[in-house]
Amino acid sequence: MTISDSPFHDADVLRIGECTVTLSSREVQVPGARRLRRLTPKAVGVLRVLVRSNGRVVTRDELFAEVWPDTLPTNDVLTQAVTQLRKAFAGDDEAGTPYIETIAKTGYRLLVAVSAVSPVDPGAAQPLSAASGILPPLGDQPATSVATPGAIDAATIPADALLLAPVRPRRGWRRIRRWVLLGIGLAMVLALGVMGWMLMHRSTAPSAVDAAVENGTRVIGSPQRPYRLITASAGFQTYPTLSPDGSQVAYEASEEEGGGQIKVQTSGNAPARTLVERPDGAVDRFPNWSPDGREIAFARFFGDGRCEVLIASATGGNLRQATRCDGTELLSFDWTPDGRGLVFGSMVGVFAHRGIRVLDLASGRWQALPYAAHKDDFDYAPRISPDGRWLVFVRNPQIGDLWRMPAEGGPLEQLTDDAAEFRGWAWLGDSRQIVFGRRVDSEARLYQLDSESRTLRDLGLDDAQWPAVARSANLLAFVHRKAQFGLYKVPVNGPTAAQRLFASSSRDSQPMLAPDDRQLVFASDRSGSYALWWADLQHPSSLRPIEGLRPDTRQPPAWSTDSRHLLVLGRDDQGVPHVYEITPRDEQLRVLPVPVARPLQALYTDDPDRLLLIERGDDQRTRLSLYDRRNWQRLATLYGVSQARFDGEQKRVVFTHLGASGLWSVDASLSPASVRQLSADKPSRWRYRAWSVAGSGRVDYLDESATCSSGLLRIGSGAEAVSRCLDATRLSAGNGFSSSFDGNDVYVSLAVTDGADIGVMPLTEQPAEVFPAFVKSLKIKP
């Protein structure tokens, strides 16, 4: 709709909701407000576009094109304009009716009715009255008028002149006016004094913002972030934990020279200190502050695979062993609220235990909690609420959800239902609210969940994960990681250097090479929104996004054996998951009518009438199923599968398990008798997507170590495993890569810039607005 098409294109005064807006003067009148609100010219421009949209969603690109033509503005300027509009319409009650809705990753929509206000006709005659100030009060006029020489007859004076003719007031009215003016002057002096006192006792920042908003042209800098970063050193600072009063933060620091150690510093920007010195070759991880603030528990990993959980004084020293443990990256533990024990998640290896246990520190005794768990389940990050009533944990964090049960064990209650990739979580002090990290598209974000009402809110933090909350203070710490990943073709053998593909300043991941070794698809936010991209490698200019699809980040796409089609998981505008079949060369896309409510991955086989689907059933267990796509009849099923690949040359399916590290294979009909284990410990549970099927029965796995950030391990070829360091310093994305059929090259996403810092911020009672697309996809149970 153009401006001329809008019913309000020539209206200057609009009624928007309960407010009256005068566009020419940029003024907003809010019922009950003490004064008019003045908008900036750009805010008025945004408002004009929203008004004429007639309630439809207006994208950010449309707003930029209309309000900021021929310029290259940042997202911040649009956010500031919308924020000013919201504040102007809110008046003195910011909790009132919402006027503008944010559509996540898209744009905005006006939620209230709009109507034009008829202007007053300036040519209409107005009655004369005492209140107008033109005539004196009736009581002050003389009872009669006497004609005098030279007097002018009023009948001969034009009406315009009569309206403008001054009337001389009597002397008594002059005296009264003097006293009134004197009173007004004294009141103004008093008001100015009060305002001066208030300005002396407030920050200068708000007044600068007000001046910029009023003026509409002054640049004052980017908006203030709700958090501040307290670390700024090279490398990665991760897994924060806060002292109960929030005054100190402990975290794992991995410097550029390698090795993890526990650092402690104040929640400001003071220099950090090392908690305890670690032995050569050891790595200290996962610090956890005790409820009384006196001790910190952490895990120590040794190069030979040994692991132990240690407890040290928060000031350093008094080191003692709590227990021995397995050496996996999914080790998890937390203090009990009374500080007398530690509660552990599932463990594997020598100290394997399927469920959650509590360790009494005084006696060293273990107590297994009674609750339901399948053999394929891995229960991670158990934490007891501060009031000691509830225990919440993540079941299968790679494709998991939050679950709750009584602290002593008992019936389970599922809090979320999205099979998400969780990145840490924490209780708030009220024992009701939960903050958790979740991967969304190309980043991780923090969300706040009310465990009773099941309401969910986005905390408004980009690239945030692994939250921690102070037990006695309203303070949040989290990991802020903002990495840039690029696509590379890396030769496995020979001295040839890695080749960068389709360079950009965004995040490219999940490069999937077709069996013809010519076509490549990958996920990226390079266009400003997350999408799947396709290219013919022999013609780089063919690169384009696949329209109409928002891909799922949990599993990469899968090519058909003839390289013509793709199976991709994605979500529609309502957040409902679907399986899409795509013919990328012809730019065709359709939704497959799979009889699965929660698909997690889809694969072709060598039979065009048969498809493989990883799904999660009503019992919350994952399974790999073989379907006849002609009638969608399920032909066979394997439980506990987390990811699969079809090996067209070997006519087999290679897969990983949720409940254990390692790699398995099964024939194309999913016959249980054909299941074989290819590797006992690779891939690990957390890196279950970092492997690829190559030719001649080879399987490539991307791993990381203290000496090589991105290493390639070739397994399952019948010979001894072969390893090579692809890049010693750059990490690879862990959500998918691919290998050429001959095994000479791998296509991988490597970090161009990377690092992680610790951020802290106070938690407000009213978090940021709900994230609609995520809430719909989350399917929170009532």
Side-chain angles (χ1 to χ4, degrees), residues 21 91 96 120 217 239 275 292 302 584 674 700 719 779:
V21 180
V120 178
T217 59
Y239 301 108
L275 178 65
D292 61 7
F302 295 89
S674 67
D700 292 337
K779 301 177 186 173

mmCIF file of all heavy atoms in Angstrom, residues 21 91 96 120 217 239 275 292 302 584 674 700 719 779:
data_model
loop_
_atom_site.group_PDB
_atom_site.id
_atom_site.type_symbol
_atom_site.label_atom_id
_atom_site.label_comp_id
_atom_site.label_asym_id
_atom_site.label_seq_id
_atom_site.Cartn_x
_atom_site.Cartn_y
_atom_site.Cartn_z
ATOM 1 N N VAL A 21 -2.364 11.682 18.061
ATOM 2 C CA VAL A 21 -1.062 12.015 17.501
ATOM 3 C C VAL A 21 -1.242 13.110 16.451
ATOM 4 O O VAL A 21 -2.051 12.958 15.524
ATOM 5 C CB VAL A 21 -0.389 10.793 16.861
ATOM 6 C CG1 VAL A 21 0.969 11.174 16.278
ATOM 7 C CG2 VAL A 21 -0.237 9.670 17.875
ATOM 8 N N GLY A 91 2.744 6.303 28.026
ATOM 9 C CA GLY A 91 2.442 7.383 28.983
ATOM 10 C C GLY A 91 3.071 7.096 30.333
ATOM 11 O O GLY A 91 4.217 6.682 30.442
ATOM 12 N N GLY A 96 0.541 -0.848 30.477
ATOM 13 C CA GLY A 96 -0.776 -0.788 29.858
ATOM 14 C C GLY A 96 -0.849 -1.576 28.563
ATOM 15 O O GLY A 96 -0.055 -2.471 28.295
ATOM 16 N N VAL A 120 -10.502 21.246 13.234
ATOM 17 C CA VAL A 120 -11.432 22.361 13.417
ATOM 18 C C VAL A 120 -11.274 23.343 12.262
ATOM 19 O O VAL A 120 -10.157 23.718 11.889
ATOM 20 C CB VAL A 120 -11.162 23.062 14.762
ATOM 21 C CG1 VAL A 120 -12.096 24.258 14.924
ATOM 22 C CG2 VAL A 120 -11.359 22.080 15.901
ATOM 23 N N THR A 217 17.969 14.815 15.873
ATOM 24 C CA THR A 217 19.100 14.834 14.952
ATOM 25 C C THR A 217 20.418 14.530 15.626
ATOM 26 O O THR A 217 21.393 14.247 14.951
ATOM 27 C CB THR A 217 19.204 16.208 14.283
ATOM 28 O OG1 THR A 217 19.374 17.220 15.294
ATOM 29 C CG2 THR A 217 17.957 16.512 13.475
ATOM 30 N N TYR A 239 31.604 -21.575 31.800
ATOM 31 C CA TYR A 239 31.015 -22.223 32.973
ATOM 32 C C TYR A 239 31.113 -21.353 34.236
ATOM 33 O O TYR A 239 31.756 -21.717 35.222
ATOM 34 C CB TYR A 239 31.671 -23.590 33.233
ATOM 35 C CG TYR A 239 31.540 -24.527 32.067
ATOM 36 C CD1 TYR A 239 32.655 -24.846 31.268
ATOM 37 C CD2 TYR A 239 30.317 -25.087 31.739
ATOM 38 C CE1 TYR A 239 32.538 -25.704 30.186
ATOM 39 C CE2 TYR A 239 30.187 -25.938 30.650
ATOM 40 C CZ TYR A 239 31.302 -26.249 29.884
ATOM 41 O OH TYR A 239 31.171 -27.100 28.807
ATOM 42 N N LEU A 275 42.226 -20.143 41.466
ATOM 43 C CA LEU A 275 41.710 -20.771 42.678
ATOM 44 C C LEU A 275 42.760 -21.687 43.297
ATOM 45 O O LEU A 275 43.148 -21.503 44.462
ATOM 46 C CB LEU A 275 40.437 -21.562 42.362
ATOM 47 C CG LEU A 275 39.813 -22.310 43.538
ATOM 48 C CD1 LEU A 275 39.315 -21.337 44.597
ATOM 49 C CD2 LEU A 275 38.672 -23.218 43.056
ATOM 50 N N ASP A 292 26.884 -21.839 51.132
ATOM 51 C CA ASP A 292 27.322 -20.915 52.177
ATOM 52 C C ASP A 292 28.431 -19.981 51.703
ATOM 53 O O ASP A 292 28.894 -19.116 52.454
ATOM 54 C CB ASP A 292 27.765 -21.676 53.423
ATOM 55 C CG ASP A 292 28.950 -22.610 53.163
ATOM 56 O OD1 ASP A 292 29.527 -22.572 52.048
ATOM 57 O OD2 ASP A 292 29.285 -23.400 54.074
ATOM 58 N N PHE A 302 42.587 -35.655 33.935
ATOM 59 C CA PHE A 302 43.984 -35.950 33.653
ATOM 60 C C PHE A 302 44.124 -36.521 32.243
ATOM 61 O O PHE A 302 43.172 -37.066 31.675
ATOM 62 C CB PHE A 302 44.540 -36.944 34.672
ATOM 63 C CG PHE A 302 44.581 -36.411 36.081
ATOM 64 C CD1 PHE A 302 43.489 -36.562 36.921
ATOM 65 C CD2 PHE A 302 45.704 -35.752 36.559
ATOM 66 C CE1 PHE A 302 43.512 -36.071 38.217
ATOM 67 C CE2 PHE A 302 45.743 -35.257 37.851
ATOM 68 C CZ PHE A 302 44.645 -35.414 38.679
ATOM 69 N N PRO A 584 16.905 -28.574 -5.430
ATOM 70 C CA PRO A 584 17.538 -27.244 -5.402
ATOM 71 C C PRO A 584 17.802 -26.643 -6.770
ATOM 72 O O PRO A 584 17.669 -25.432 -6.949
ATOM 73 C CB PRO A 584 18.839 -27.492 -4.627
ATOM 74 C CG PRO A 584 19.077 -28.959 -4.717
ATOM 75 C CD PRO A 584 17.743 -29.609 -4.801
ATOM 76 N N SER A 674 21.672 -57.339 12.435
ATOM 77 C CA SER A 674 22.769 -56.785 11.639
ATOM 78 C C SER A 674 23.500 -55.638 12.335
ATOM 79 O O SER A 674 24.435 -55.073 11.764
ATOM 80 C CB SER A 674 22.235 -56.303 10.290
ATOM 81 O OG SER A 674 21.368 -55.188 10.461
ATOM 82 N N ASP A 700 34.479 -40.308 8.818
ATOM 83 C CA ASP A 700 35.338 -39.228 9.307
ATOM 84 C C ASP A 700 34.692 -38.570 10.521
ATOM 85 O O ASP A 700 33.490 -38.291 10.523
ATOM 86 C CB ASP A 700 35.554 -38.182 8.215
ATOM 87 C CG ASP A 700 36.393 -38.709 7.068
ATOM 88 O OD1 ASP A 700 37.150 -39.679 7.286
ATOM 89 O OD2 ASP A 700 36.275 -38.174 5.940
ATOM 90 N N ALA A 719 40.838 -50.761 8.730
ATOM 91 C CA ALA A 719 42.251 -50.638 9.091
ATOM 92 C C ALA A 719 42.356 -49.811 10.363
ATOM 93 O O ALA A 719 41.368 -49.356 10.930
ATOM 94 C CB ALA A 719 43.022 -49.974 7.949
ATOM 95 N N LYS A 779 6.056 -25.786 22.471
ATOM 96 C CA LYS A 779 4.941 -26.657 22.846
ATOM 97 C C LYS A 779 4.967 -26.979 24.334
ATOM 98 O O LYS A 779 5.004 -28.138 24.741
ATOM 99 C CB LYS A 779 4.982 -27.959 22.052
ATOM 100 C CG LYS A 779 4.912 -27.775 20.545
ATOM 101 C CD LYS A 779 5.030 -29.117 19.868
ATOM 102 C CE LYS A 779 5.114 -28.949 18.378
ATOM 103 N NZ LYS A 779 5.394 -30.211 17.695
#
